[in-house]
Amino acid sequence: MTVKERIAALRARMKETGIDAYLIPTDDFHGSEYVGEYFKCRKYITGFTGSAGTAVIMQDMAGLWTDGRYFIQAADQLEGTGITLFKMGEPEVPTVHEFLKKNLTQGMCLGFDGRTVSAKEAAELEKMLDENGVSLSVDHDLAGDIWENRPVLSCELVRELDIKWTGESRADKCARIRKAMEKKGADLFVLTSLDDIAWLLNIRGGDIHCCPVVLSYLVMTKTEIRLFANKKAFQTDVLEALEKDGVTLFPYDSIYEYVKTFKKDKKVLLCKKKVNSRLVSNIPADTRILDEENLTLLPKATKNPVEVENERIAHIRDGVAVTKFIYWLKKNVGRIPITELSAAEKLYEFRSDCKESLKIMDRFFQSVVESYRTMGITVNVELLGLRPCTGNVDPAKQEKLIERCCEVMTYYTGEKEIATGCASTDCNIPLSQGIPAVCFGGYVGHKGHTRQEFVELDSLEVGPLVVGTVITEYFQ
C-alpha cells in the first residue's frame, strides 16, 4: 500500500472503533531511544524514516511533528502524501499536545496504543483533554491492524555477562534492590526499561540496534522475580543460571494480565515516566502505586572498581585504535580519496583488531551455533584463519618482505613514501599459519567495495610489473 492508502485504511479502522484522532509516537513498549523494526508504526503509516517524530491522524487531516534535524528529509518524504509537516520549535508551530487541545472537542476520542505512551504522558493528556470533554482509548494498535507483513518481534540470543565485567553478581544486585524496596515500603517493583533489566540481571541481548538489551519486563517481590520475555531467546544454561538466582521466565506479553492480579493491600513501586500507560492502567485501581525513579537508576550509574577498571582498559584499547587511525589519516590524506564514510570504515577496522573483543565475539558466535545444534539443526564450523593474525611468523622475514614490496613499488611507480599498515584481511590465513605474507595494490582504484568502484586504467601498465617482480622473487 502507498502512504495514502495506509492512512485511508487507518481512518477506516478509526471509524470502526469510534476514535477521532489517533496518535502514533516513535516509542516501543519500553520507552527506548532506539526501536526495533516491529515498533516502527509511525514510519509505516507516514513513510518518514527519521529516528524521531510523532504522527497524528484525523479524518480531515494528518500531521507529522519532528525536530530540526529532519526538516528537509521529512519535507521530501512527506511530499504528495497529504501529511502536513509541523516543524517543532519553530515560531507559531503548536506542539502535539497544543494541537490536540485545540482541535479535539466535546465528545471526541483520542486513541493510541497505550504500550507506546508512558503512563506520565497519558495522564497529562487525559487531564488536559478532560477539560474539553474528550475521552481516551488506549487499547487499540490500529496501525498494527492494517500493517501488512509486519516484521516479527526481535528474538536475539540472550547471553550472560560474566562477573569479571560486572563486578557484582546478579544475586547481590537483586538483594540490594530488595533492601531499597523495603526502605520505600514497596511490596512489588515493576521494571520495564530494558537497560535497567539488563544491568540488574547481568544479561545482554541484541533486540535493539546499538543497544545490547533484551525485550523484557520484570516484576520483583520480596520472594520472587518474574522476567517476561521470549523463551526462545534463552539457552538452557542461561535459564538454569537465572532460575538458580530466583528468576522465573514468563511469556513476554503475559505481564499485562499478571498486573491485574495485584492485591489492593500491596504497594507497587514503578516509574510512570518509564512504564507504559496500558500496563499501569491494568493495575487494579485500589492498588497503591508509588511513582518514583527506578530503584536501579543510581546503583546502575554508580560504577564499582571492576567496572571502572574495565572502562579504563577499554579507553586505552580504543585510544590505540584511534592513534593508528590518525597516523593512517595523516599519511594518506591528499594521496587517496577519503570521505567521511570511508574514514569511518577505516576507524571501524582499526577498532576490530582487539584480540579480547574478538574472543568475546567468537564465544558468542559459538553459543549461537550451539543453540541451533540443540534444536537438531546440523551446523558445521571450520576455522580458516584468525584475525588479528596470531601465527608464529618470523618478524625479521615479515619485515624484510614488507620492505622489499615497498622498494619494488617505489622502483616502478616513483613514489618514495609507500603507506603501510592494517588494510586488508587477505593475509590472515597464511599469517595465522606462520607464513610471512603481505597484501599490496597492483593497481590504483577508488571507492572500493561499492557500486561506484573503479580502476585507473593507466595504473594497469605498472601494476603487473610490481606484482610479477615480488611474486617471482618470493618463490626464488
Side-chain angles (χ1 to χ4, degrees), residues 8-297:
L10 178 61
R11 284 172 172 158
R13 284 289 294 130
M14 289 166 61
K15 280 187 177 180
E16 293 171 2
T17 52
I19 292 173
D20 299 287
Y22 195 69
L23 178 73
I24 311 175
T26 300
D27 289 10
D28 62 9
F29 303 160
H30 307 272
S32 306
E33 180 178 2
Y34 301 97
V35 301
E37 292 300 319
Y38 174 88
F39 299 102
K40 295 183 179 180
C41 292
R42 186 262 302 153
K43 171 186 171 183
Y44 176 76
I45 292 296
T46 67
F48 170 61
T49 60
S51 64
T54 301
V56 174
I57 310 297
M58 300 179 69
Q59 292 299 334
D60 58 353
M61 72 80 61
L64 174 82
W65 279 256
T66 192
D67 61 67
R69 294 172 296 169
Y70 299 110
F71 287 170
I72 295 175
Q73 175 186 341
D76 179 61
Q77 293 181 327
L78 297 180
E79 186 176 0
T81 63
I83 300 174
T84 301
L85 173 60
F86 290 82
K87 298 180 177 180
M88 293 168 59
E90 293 291 289
E92 300 182 5
V93 175
T95 65
V96 174
H97 285 206
E98 289 169 346
F99 175 86
L100 294 173
K101 173 72 173 176
K102 180 179 179 180
N103 290 275
L104 296 183
T105 57
Q106 180 72 37
M108 298 181 77
C109 176
L110 170 67
F112 50 81
D113 183 349
R115 296 171 298 178
T116 64
V117 176
S118 73
K120 181 177 183 294
E121 182 179 5
E124 291 171 353
L125 284 168
E126 184 175 29
K127 180 179 179 181
M128 177 188 73
L129 295 176
D130 185 60
E131 299 172 1
N132 291 15
V134 176
S135 60
L136 298 186
S137 175
V138 303
D139 294 327
H140 297 289
D141 178 14
L142 299 187
D145 290 347
I146 66 163
W147 191 341
E148 298 177 346
N149 301 314
R150 185 176 189 173
V152 298
L153 278 170
S154 179
C155 183
E156 295 296 321
L157 196 68
V158 177
R159 63 187 186 277
E160 283 199 281
L161 197 61
D162 196 275
I163 195 169
K164 71 178 182 180
W165 305 115
T166 66
E168 186 177 14
S169 70
R170 174 170 47 239
D172 288 342
K173 288 180 178 180
C174 291
R176 277 210 286 160
I177 298 305
R178 281 193 167 116
K179 287 183 179 179
M181 287 174 59
E182 187 177 354
K183 288 183 179 179
K184 296 287 186 179
D187 300 293
L188 301 104
F189 173 40
V190 176
L191 188 61
T192 65
S193 48
L194 304 183
D195 55 327
D196 287 272
I197 294 173
W199 174 84
L200 179 62
L201 299 184
N202 286 347
I203 58 175
R204 297 294 186 269
D207 287 331
I208 296 181
H209 180 60
C210 299
C211 306
V213 294
V214 182
L215 285 176
S216 55
Y217 307 91
L218 184 142
V219 178
M220 176 184 286
T221 70
K222 297 175 182 178
T223 58
E224 69 172 344
I225 300 171
R226 294 188 176 218
L227 179 65
F228 300 83
N230 191 334
K231 187 176 181 179
K232 293 180 180 179
F234 293 78
Q235 290 182 269
T236 302
D237 58 336
V238 177
L239 278 177
E240 290 175 350
L242 287 167
E243 290 171 356
K244 182 179 178 181
D245 289 326
V247 181
T248 306
L249 193 65
F250 291 87
Y252 178 63
D253 284 327
S254 65
I255 186 172
Y256 293 94
E257 290 301 315
Y258 173 64
V259 298
K260 292 179 181 179
T261 67
F262 289 176
K263 305 300 182 182
K264 65 179 181 180
D265 60 335
K266 301 297 182 181
K267 295 179 182 178
V268 181
L269 191 148
L270 54 81
C271 180
K272 289 187 176 181
K273 291 187 296 185
K274 300 288 187 181
V275 179
N276 71 58
S277 60
R278 188 186 296 187
L279 195 152
V280 172
S281 65
N282 278 10
I283 297 175
D286 54 3
T287 299
R288 183 178 174 187
I289 294 178
L290 306 176
D291 179 19
E292 300 194 23
E293 291 287 356
N294 283 332
L295 297 177
T296 49
L297 181 65

Side-chain angles (χ1 to χ4, degrees), residues 370-389:
E370 288 304 318
S371 70
Y372 280 101
R373 285 173 174 163
T374 59
M375 300 177 193
I377 300 172
T378 300
V379 182
N380 297 316
V381 179
E382 183 177 352
L383 180 64
L384 297 178
L386 300 172
R387 181 173 187 258
C389 305

